[in-house]
Amino acid sequence: MTNTVTISPSIDESWKIALQKQFKAPYFSELKQFLVEEKKKNIVYPPGPQIFSAFNHTPFNKVKVVIIGQDPYHGAGQANGLCFSVSSGIKQPPSLVNIFKEIHSDMGLPIPESGNLEPWADQGVMLLNATLTVRANTPGSHQNKGWEIFTDAVIKYLSENKKGLVFLLWGRFAQAKEVLIDSSKHYILKAAHPSPFSAYNGFFGCKHFSKTNELLRKQGLAEINWDPSPALPKGESGT
């Protein structure tokens, strides 16, 4: 299996324009060099072409909802560039299982077989990890290398240049990003992290999925179809 780190960057044109200052910044060159060296010694997830999946599935003009994660999954075949998501055919991690349980409780939707959340992203749900890469089997290994500067800039750019976004902040790490968001222009929903360690402390019962759709509906926007199962009816794209 090849493990190319592409960071030049293969990213949707709308984001390439929006983030050109970041791509030209010294920290980004250092981050790129770190990844080149890291790849010589270790396996890096997700695969290079998927590092910017959150941006490629959700162009800037389509963003309606933002979910913030921390690190990509570090197991083989898991990370696909979208926070909480795994590729089809990969066992759903515990946090994702709990997300689907809450959707079932909140919306009455069936628990899907696939944990691939690309259908959410294609409808305008930006699934953004704070750190976009990780060394295989080593959680947190690419933190404090520059990714957080980049993704903080993404959150600030969204806050400053859009209005009426729904930010879902689960757990203390995501909630620390609230300072980057203008709450007078956007909606912020907070809950515990869906991890098995904290889901019972306020994630279960948060009803963030129906609340998000209510906020979108209030703005005259298409709701999100939170069922990612490809075999079931497709949700509105919101475009």
Side-chain angles (χ1 to χ4, degrees):
M1 180 175 99
T2 57
N3 189 49
T4 311
V5 173
T6 305
I7 214 130
S8 272
S10 179
I11 192 170
D12 176 82
E13 193 62 28
S14 66
W15 285 112
K16 195 173 280 188
I17 294 164
L19 300 171
Q20 56 186 318
K21 237 168 92 176
Q22 304 305 316
F23 294 130
K24 291 175 182 174
Y27 83 84
F28 204 86
S29 297
E30 291 167 15
L31 171 60
K32 178 179 176 179
Q33 191 54 39
F34 163 75
L35 287 170
V36 167
E37 294 303 316
E38 176 77 337
K39 187 223 161 197
K40 288 176 185 175
K41 300 172 285 185
N42 300 292
I43 295 172
V44 171
Y45 297 131
Q50 292 185 320
I51 290 173
F52 292 103
S53 282
F55 302 86
N56 292 327
H57 279 278
T58 316
F60 175 75
N61 64 317
K62 285 194 172 184
V63 181
K64 299 192 291 188
V65 180
V66 182
I67 299 177
I68 298 172
Q70 190 165 352
D71 238 17
Y73 296 121
H74 54 86
Q78 289 183 306
N80 66 0
L82 306 175
C83 73
F84 295 106
S85 175
V86 291
S87 297
S88 297
I90 300 293
K91 184 182 177 184
Q92 296 171 13
S95 291
L96 184 55
V97 169
N98 286 340
I99 289 169
F100 288 148
K101 283 180 182 175
E102 175 58 22
I103 291 171
H104 175 69
S105 167
D106 181 17
M107 308 281 293
L109 294 172
I111 306 282
E113 283 183 26
S114 171
N116 191 338
L117 303 182
E118 287 177 2
W120 293 4
D122 292 338
Q123 294 175 77
V125 182
M126 186 159 201
L127 297 163
L128 183 67
N129 273 318
T131 304
L132 298 189
T133 57
V134 70
R135 184 187 307 158
N137 307 314
T138 316
S141 49
H142 289 187
Q143 290 174 7
N144 304 314
K145 304 294 183 185
W147 277 129
E148 294 91 341
I149 302 170
F150 178 75
T151 52
D152 279 1
V154 171
I155 296 166
K156 281 175 83 168
Y157 190 87
L158 284 166
S159 176
E160 290 166 6
N161 293 280
K162 291 186 85 78
K163 62 179 182 178
L165 296 179
V166 184
F167 286 86
L168 304 184
L169 306 182
W170 300 334
R172 279 179 294 184
F173 180 87
Q175 287 163 21
K177 305 295 182 182
E178 187 175 359
V179 296
L180 305 171
I181 304 162
D182 184 345
S183 59
S184 70
K185 290 169 60 183
H186 303 286
Y187 303 98
I188 299 172
L189 301 180
K190 294 187 280 188
H193 193 276
S195 154
F197 301 107
S198 53
Y200 287 95
N201 294 328
F203 179 76
F204 288 138
C206 70
K207 298 190 179 297
H208 277 188
F209 305 95
S210 60
K211 287 176 181 176
T212 294
N213 279 352
E214 190 180 328
L215 292 168
L216 294 175
R217 198 162 55 241
K218 201 167 84 171
Q219 299 178 76
L221 298 171
E223 298 176 23
I224 304 299
N225 176 3
W226 293 108
D227 185 349
S229 304
L232 293 168
K234 204 168 102 178
E236 295 174 282
S237 66
T239 55

